[in-house]
Amino acid sequence: EPEVTQTPSHQVTQMGQEVILRCVPISNHLYFYWYRQILGQKVEFLVSFYNNEISEKSEIFDDQFSVERPDGSNFTLKIRSTKLEDSAMYFCASSEDRMNTEAFFGQGTRLTVV
Amino acid sequence: GEDVEQSLFLSVREGDSSVINCTYTDSSSTYLYWYKQEPGAGLQLLTYIFSNMDMKQDQRLTVLLNKKDKHLSLRIADTQTGDSAIYFCAESSTNAGKSTFGDGTTLTVKP
């Protein structure tokens, strides 16, 4: 069964450092998403990406964040100058099309900023 | 903005039915979802319902939607210990990937 894979599963970084979270969406999917879940809080939408550009982003997704599809398979989330409050589980998701009922989620990357 | 609310905890005995409730505020919600998250794992889509449906049944899962009251429920029949997890209700109005999630209901199934 096709799945969304995320690496690493756990990343620890020092405050102020840059991190890149990686995702490999399902191969025939065209829409890609990042969500985050701060421990004990809701899953929050960050950004959606289609046709090599951001299609929608939330208020959380400020200049500190960027996304990229550097090649035909990877979809990355870069966080510049990490802060303690960026510690969270980050989920990548992909869907076949915009109106598709199902977005497939990866297992998540737990980011810990120390 | 949109909001989705769930009760935080539910405890049932193995073999009983579990009912997890959810309310949402966005009247333009088109898709409503139930996700399951086991400890340390990602989000697994369990089932979904379109807003023009009242009910959907899928094996042990029954989803009821009261669009007038903006109330969604998930019933799990014959609950098993393996059903212990956090269950998230989510809604989206247009873009299936951009969903608003509830806080999640932690279901504990006691033997």
Side-chain angles (χ1 to χ4, degrees), chain B residues 22-24 65-72:
Chain B
C22 169
T23 57
Y24 59 98
L65 174 61
N66 182 327
K67 195 174 179 183
K68 174 176 168 291
D69 294 339
K70 300 191 186 69
H71 181 267
L72 183 74

Side-chain angles (χ1 to χ4, degrees), chain A residues 6-8 11 13 16-23 33-36 46-47 49 54 60-70 74-83 86 90-92 109 111 113:
Chain A
Q6 290 185 242
T7 55
Q11 171 104 37
T13 189
Q17 295 297 303
E18 175 184 284
V19 293
I20 298 175
L21 309 183
R22 301 181 192 279
C23 170
Y33 316 89
W34 283 102
Y35 283 78
R36 80 172 184 190
L46 291 178
V47 66
F49 189 87
I54 291 172
I60 304 166
F61 194 88
D62 59 21
D63 292 343
Q64 184 196 9
F65 295 91
S66 62
V67 288
E68 191 179 29
R69 189 155 163 80
N74 289 285
F75 178 51
T76 61
L77 174 68
K78 182 189 289 185
I79 309 175
R80 286 181 281 275
S81 189
T82 49
K83 304 188 285 276
D86 294 326
Y90 288 81
F91 291 106
C92 172
T109 293
L111 176 65
V113 182

Side-chain angles (χ1 to χ4, degrees), chain A residues 38-55:
Chain A
I38 295 172
L39 186 63
Q41 296 187 24
K42 290 187 180 190
V43 176
E44 301 170 292
F45 170 77
L46 291 178
V47 66
S48 60
F49 189 87
Y50 170 71
N51 199 26
N52 281 320
E53 60 183 27
I54 291 172
S55 52

Side-chain angles (χ1 to χ4, degrees), chain B residues 29-46:
Chain B
S29 294
T30 306
Y31 307 99
L32 295 134
Y33 310 88
W34 284 104
Y35 288 89
K36 178 183 180 183
Q37 185 180 34
E38 296 185 40
L43 296 164
Q44 175 196 355
L45 178 67
L46 284 178

